[in-house]
Amino acid sequence: MIAYCDYIAKRIKEALTGADPENIIGHVGNVNYDLGPNGEFYSTKKTIHVLDSAGKRYTITVEEA
């Protein structure tokens, strides 16, 4: 069965970098892959780091369950 972790993480990033009428989102980082010590894919996990307008940091994780 196909896992859609890449697609879901991409859509989350797109949604967070879109219009923010409340001006709460300060910065949205890139989608980071879970890589092993030699740069190989370790798992399907993806993370996105987000800062709010007050500087508080959040980590969003997408992974196959």
Side-chain angles (χ1 to χ4, degrees):
M1 179 168 275
I2 296 173
Y4 294 101
C5 298
D6 290 342
Y7 178 75
I8 293 168
K10 177 182 177 246
R11 292 298 310 264
I12 291 170
K13 180 177 170 60
E14 289 172 352
L16 289 172
T17 55
D20 180 18
E22 301 293 327
N23 293 319
I24 293 173
I25 306 299
H27 174 75
V28 179
N30 292 323
V31 175
N32 300 299
Y33 298 89
D34 186 24
L35 301 177
N38 298 314
E40 73 278 9
F41 288 109
Y42 190 68
S43 74
T44 61
K45 183 169 77 171
K46 315 288 184 268
T47 56
I48 304 169
H49 298 287
V50 179
L51 288 173
D52 67 19
S53 57
K56 184 170 175 100
R57 186 176 171 158
Y58 302 84
T59 300
I60 299 168
T61 305
V62 177
E63 62 185 313
E64 186 177 0

